[in-house]
Amino acid sequence: MYKYEEISADLKSMFTSGKYEPGALLPDQEQLAREFNTTRMTIRKAIQTLVAEGVVYTRRGAGTFLRKDFRSHDDELDASIEKPYGTTETYSGRKVTSKVLGLDARLPTGKEQDQLLIGPGEPVYVIRRVRYVDGQVYAYEHTVMPTKIATITEDVLKGSIYKHLAEEKGMHIAGSHRKVYAIKATQEDIEALGAKLNDPVLAIKQVSYTEEGEPFEYSITHFPYETSSVVADVEIKR
């Protein structure tokens, strides 16, 4: 993650913590640059990210304001399709927890070899867990990851895998290729999400890459239809 993205996440938490009322004037870029010990250009990029996300808006000569229609807590848990952040980062400032359903190691299938660019003799972790945001079911994750990437334990899975990889291996996610589609709930969804058989389920299949371009994660995540949606922030550059 680039510095402006980290600062953008921190600013989002700061602006939506309840300290500022909707429509409030926010600190100027010079003040924020001093606070984060960075340049104004970095702060400007971070603010532009929040503008694209619909968190803030700017007025020339007046400053940056928290949008009046922004809701920091919503019944819907949006999955951002164009930002390859994990659940913990996406919902920074909220309580994100996990229930580990399974952690195993085995040899990869042919499809997993193709997606992760590994050989048939390179073992993978198979991870199954349910993610919760503020105690509400958010998603059921089925993740396959080469064991050579890092040591993964149940304690790691109760928190953020991406944070663990960053802290232990200096590894950062650079991007993901994602496919969004709909399926009918399976028996696993009934157990993990509390869905009913054949309920509609939102699914996202993705392969994630490191900054070196190495695929390290092949996952399929299911979301309950009642509380989930997919959002994309579209920025038009002229």
Side-chain angles (χ1 to χ4, degrees):
M1 184 182 298
Y2 296 106
K3 185 169 185 177
Y4 81 88
E5 293 174 326
E6 295 177 355
I7 292 175
S8 177
D10 289 340
L11 288 177
K12 184 175 181 179
S13 295
M14 179 194 302
F15 294 161
T16 61
S17 64
K19 179 179 179 180
Y20 298 95
E21 292 293 325
L25 176 65
L26 302 172
D28 62 42
Q29 293 182 11
E30 289 186 1
Q31 178 181 337
L32 292 172
R34 289 194 299 271
E35 186 172 339
F36 285 90
N37 192 29
T38 190
T39 64
R40 247 187 102 177
M41 183 176 294
T42 300
I43 293 296
R44 186 180 298 114
K45 290 189 71 174
I47 293 293
Q48 287 172 345
T49 298
L50 295 182
V51 170
E53 290 181 7
V55 179
V56 303
Y57 67 96
T58 61
R59 278 198 213 140
R60 188 181 299 273
T64 302
F65 300 81
L66 182 63
R67 285 181 63 103
K68 293 181 180 180
D69 57 352
F70 178 77
R71 292 174 292 173
S72 60
H73 290 254
D74 200 328
D75 290 336
E76 283 197 348
L77 298 173
D78 296 331
S80 182
I81 191 61
E82 88 290 355
K83 294 182 176 62
Y85 308 148
T87 306
T88 303
E89 182 67 27
T90 300
Y91 294 101
S92 175
R94 300 175 68 173
K95 184 179 180 181
V96 177
T97 54
S98 303
K99 178 181 179 182
V100 180
L101 302 181
L103 171 61
D104 301 294
R106 58 163 170 76
L107 294 178
T109 64
K111 186 174 183 63
E112 291 162 358
Q113 293 172 46
D114 292 341
Q115 296 292 332
L116 294 169
L117 302 181
I118 57 177
E122 297 182 70
V124 295
Y125 290 115
V126 180
I127 300 164
R128 294 170 54 245
R129 61 179 181 168
V130 182
R131 310 304 304 277
Y132 300 86
V133 177
D134 294 335
Q136 180 179 343
V137 174
Y138 172 65
Y140 166 51
E141 300 176 346
H142 183 282
T143 303
V144 177
M145 186 177 293
T147 59
K148 66 182 180 181
I149 295 295
T151 299
I152 303 295
T153 65
E154 286 203 19
D155 283 340
V156 170
L157 296 182
K158 290 176 182 177
S160 168
I161 297 178
Y162 291 174
K163 181 179 179 181
H164 173 71
L165 294 178
E167 292 179 348
E168 296 297 320
K169 297 294 182 179
M171 183 185 301
H172 299 278
I173 182 171
S176 297
H177 175 72
R178 289 178 166 178
K179 178 181 178 181
V180 182
Y181 56 102
I183 61 170
K184 292 182 178 180
T186 64
Q187 186 61 42
E188 287 190 357
D189 295 316
I190 293 173
E191 297 170 359
L193 299 175
K196 296 178 182 178
L197 189 64
N198 293 326
D199 268 356
V201 171
L202 178 68
I204 297 181
K205 182 185 297 185
Q206 76 173 27
V207 177
S208 299
Y209 302 87
T210 66
E211 292 173 324
E212 291 74 33
E214 179 183 5
F216 72 92
E217 174 193 55
Y218 172 51
S219 67
I220 300 176
T221 305
H222 291 179
F223 301 86
Y225 78 93
E226 300 99 330
T227 56
S228 299
S229 61
V230 173
V231 298
D233 299 313
V234 180
E235 182 178 357
I236 299 175
K237 295 182 178 180
R238 301 185 185 279

